[in-house]
């Protein structure tokens, strides 16, 4: 494994080129291979996990400037979350194939519960920092509230990530369609100079000894009062919302308004708490909770992801889907445009049935 790590770190550009090539080749999968969804989804998951693993290896490149005793590497929670996201669709497709539409939600619920557990552990071990991109991107930007150090990494997202917006698999045809629709909720890919800056600052953060004790819940509540409590509740609601959504779908069905309404309400309350926290810093009060630049960008991203509720049943079936069908019929007589519209609608409908319930998680 160490030999593989050294090879990846020495051939970063070559590795990224191979990943891009693999991404393109998925378009050429033969039709007979697509007869069952399990095969393509498994290929997508494997490619996604390999990409995430390679990026983790590159991001954790040791520096020769490190002095003192070498500490053991912390558990790669971000890599674990990325792997779970990649496997999630495979679990759903396989469960649906072997156990049917109703029982597949049992397996999806187990997957979501695992993801919630890992995220809660990451939330605690990070000193109760906001999870960036659902935990995919490490939040190593330091809070001036609890640390005397003012250095930060700018909160740049992990470059070259194999995941599309909201943990979707970009190699999957339908996943790419939904990724294009929800790409506005993601930051643009970083340019090479920003990638270099992020990695240098990440290494600096690893080298620097901790200047203060890791914040605890009691410390946050005592020092930040109501604002600290609102932040904690808002972040916990964000973490558990996908699991609640899946459990209520399992109980009431995908066509019921109860899971949809409850999920939207939890999202609204959680983001409302975090928005209040973000506004509090302008009030000049002593007890305020400072959000870093990357955390404020994450909050904006979460608000934009509300648009995905238009893609979730029963809203999609009752409203969005009908509008898409009427648009398709209206443009059908127009050469080229009618054909392209029909293909886009087909991809959107296919993506809606598979990916939207987990989007934003």
């Amino acid at each position: 494994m160490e030999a593989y790590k050294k090879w990846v770190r020495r051939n970063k550009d070559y590795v990224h080129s191979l990943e891009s090539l693999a991404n393109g080749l998925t378009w050429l999968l033969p039709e007979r291979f697509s007869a069952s969804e399990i095969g393509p989804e498994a290929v997508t998951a494997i490619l996604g996990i390999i990409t995430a693993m390679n990026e983790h290896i590159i991001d954790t490149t040791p520096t020769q400037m490190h002095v003192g005793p070498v500490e053991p590497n912390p558990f790669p929670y971000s890599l674990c979350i990325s792997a779970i996201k990649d496997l999630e669709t495979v679990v759903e497709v396989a469960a649906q194939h072997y156990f049917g539409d109703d029982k597949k939600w049992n397996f999806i619920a187990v997957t979501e519960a695992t993801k919630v557990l890992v995220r809660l552990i990451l939330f605690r071990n990070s000193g109760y920092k906001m999870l960036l991109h659902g935990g995919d991107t490490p939040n190593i930007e330091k809070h001036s509230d609890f640390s005397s150090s003012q250095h930060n990494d700018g909160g740049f997202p992990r470059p070259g990530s194999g995941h599309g917006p909201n943990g979707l698999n970009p190699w999957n045809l339908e996943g790419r369609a939904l990724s294009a629709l929800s790409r506005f909720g993601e930051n643009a890919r970083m340019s090479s100079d920003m990638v270099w800056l992020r990695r240098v600052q990440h290494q600096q953060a690893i080298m620097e000894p901790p200047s203060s004790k890791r914040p605890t819940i009691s410390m946050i509540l005592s020092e930040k009062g109501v604002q600290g409590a609102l932040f904690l509740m808002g972040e916990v609601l964000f973490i558990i919302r996908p699991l609640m959504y899946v459990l209520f779908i399992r109980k009431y069905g995908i066509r019921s308004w109860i899971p949809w309404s409850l999920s939207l309400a939890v999202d609204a309350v959680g983001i409302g708490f975090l928005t209040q926290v973000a506004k509090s810093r302008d009030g000049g009060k002593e007890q305020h909770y400072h959000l870093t630049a990357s955390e404020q960008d994450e909050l904006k991203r979460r608000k934009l992801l509300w648009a995905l509720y238009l893609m979730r049943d029963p809203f999609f079936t009752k409203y969005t889907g009908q509008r898409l069908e009427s648009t398709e019929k209206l443009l059908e007589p127009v050469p080229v445009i009618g054909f392209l519209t029909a293909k886009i609608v087909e991809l959107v409908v296919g993506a809606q049935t598979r990916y939207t319930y987990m989007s934003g998680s």
Side-chain angles (χ1 to χ4, degrees):
M1 188 62 183
E2 288 300 323
Y4 178 75
K5 289 181 179 180
K6 291 180 180 179
W7 183 85
V8 170
R9 289 163 179 165
R10 291 174 181 172
N11 302 274
K12 293 181 288 187
D13 295 337
Y14 182 63
V15 170
H16 290 155
S17 298
L18 286 178
E19 292 167 355
S20 300
L21 177 62
N23 183 7
L25 289 177
T26 55
W27 287 93
L28 304 179
L29 289 176
E31 291 297 328
R32 59 183 176 81
F33 189 55
S34 300
S36 172
E37 289 186 78
I38 300 178
E41 291 295 350
V43 172
T44 300
I46 293 173
L47 290 175
I49 292 174
I50 293 175
T51 300
M53 183 178 64
N54 289 339
E55 288 303 327
H56 175 76
I57 292 173
I58 293 173
D59 287 346
T60 56
T61 302
T63 175
Q64 296 180 355
M65 298 175 59
H66 181 78
V67 293
V70 178
E71 297 181 359
N73 293 329
F75 184 81
Y77 291 103
S78 297
L79 178 60
C80 183
I81 292 173
S82 298
I84 294 174
K85 284 184 175 182
D86 285 319
L87 291 173
E88 194 164 26
T89 306
V90 180
V91 171
E92 177 184 357
V93 172
Q96 182 176 3
H97 180 79
Y98 292 107
F99 299 97
D101 289 336
D102 294 333
K103 292 185 177 180
K104 76 174 183 179
W105 294 105
N106 296 331
F107 296 89
I108 296 174
V110 172
T111 306
E112 287 293 342
T114 303
K115 195 161 56 175
V116 167
L117 179 61
V118 176
R119 282 175 170 164
L120 288 174
I121 296 174
L122 173 60
F123 186 46
R124 175 184 177 275
N125 290 351
S126 67
Y128 299 99
K129 292 182 180 180
M130 181 181 290
L131 300 185
L132 304 182
H133 296 80
D136 276 1
T137 303
N139 186 354
I140 58 177
E141 187 170 0
K142 295 183 179 179
H143 287 253
S144 59
D145 306 68
F146 298 104
S147 175
S148 59
S149 174
Q150 295 299 320
H151 297 293
N152 62 75
D153 72 322
F156 300 146
R158 183 178 63 214
S161 174
H163 303 283
N166 322 312
L168 297 177
N169 288 320
W171 290 287
N172 182 275
L173 187 61
E174 296 170 349
R176 279 176 289 191
L178 189 59
S179 295
L181 293 175
S182 61
R183 192 174 297 277
F184 59 83
E186 297 284 0
N187 295 324
R189 182 178 294 272
M190 296 295 100
S191 59
S192 59
D193 57 334
M194 297 178 73
V195 173
W196 174 84
L197 178 61
R198 179 196 179 278
R199 286 175 179 160
V200 168
Q201 292 171 331
H202 177 65
Q203 291 173 352
Q204 290 176 344
I206 294 175
M207 288 190 301
E208 293 175 358
S211 57
S212 61
K213 185 179 179 180
R214 184 177 64 189
T216 61
I217 292 180
S218 59
M219 185 186 301
I220 293 175
L221 294 179
S222 62
E223 294 186 11
K224 303 305 172 185
V226 175
Q227 300 301 327
L230 290 177
F231 172 80
L232 293 173
M233 289 189 293
E235 197 64 12
V236 170
L237 287 176
F238 168 76
I239 293 173
I240 66 175
R241 195 278 309 168
L243 177 59
M244 296 175 61
Y245 185 37
V246 169
L247 289 177
F248 275 83
I249 290 177
R250 177 174 172 269
K251 180 176 179 60
Y252 295 100
I254 191 68
R255 303 292 182 178
S256 172
W257 283 98
I258 295 178
W260 188 91
S261 302
L262 178 66
S263 179
L264 179 60
V266 171
D267 255 341
V269 172
I271 292 181
F273 288 161
L274 296 175
T275 301
Q276 181 61 35
V277 171
K279 291 180 178 179
S280 68
R281 69 174 187 156
D282 300 325
K285 303 293 185 182
E286 291 185 1
Q287 283 192 332
H288 72 278
Y289 196 98
H290 172 71
L291 295 182
T292 63
S294 56
E295 290 174 345
Q296 293 180 45
D297 290 340
E298 170 67 14
L299 182 56
K300 295 177 183 177
R301 186 190 73 91
R302 294 182 188 182
K303 291 179 180 179
L304 291 174
L305 290 176
W306 279 359
L308 290 177
Y309 280 96
L310 302 177
M311 296 289 295
R312 292 171 177 157
D313 278 328
F315 192 95
F316 181 86
T317 301
K318 192 171 182 63
Y319 300 104
T320 309
Q322 294 181 3
R323 294 296 178 89
L324 289 175
E325 290 178 3
S326 60
T327 302
E328 180 184 3
K329 292 179 180 179
L330 179 64
L331 297 177
E332 185 177 4
V334 182
V336 182
I337 296 179
F339 173 78
L340 293 177
T341 301
K343 286 298 181 181
I344 292 174
V345 171
E346 179 183 353
L347 291 174
V348 170
V349 172
Q352 185 273 334
T353 61
R354 186 71 66 201
Y355 303 100
T356 55
Y357 77 88
M358 72 179 74
S359 300
S361 66

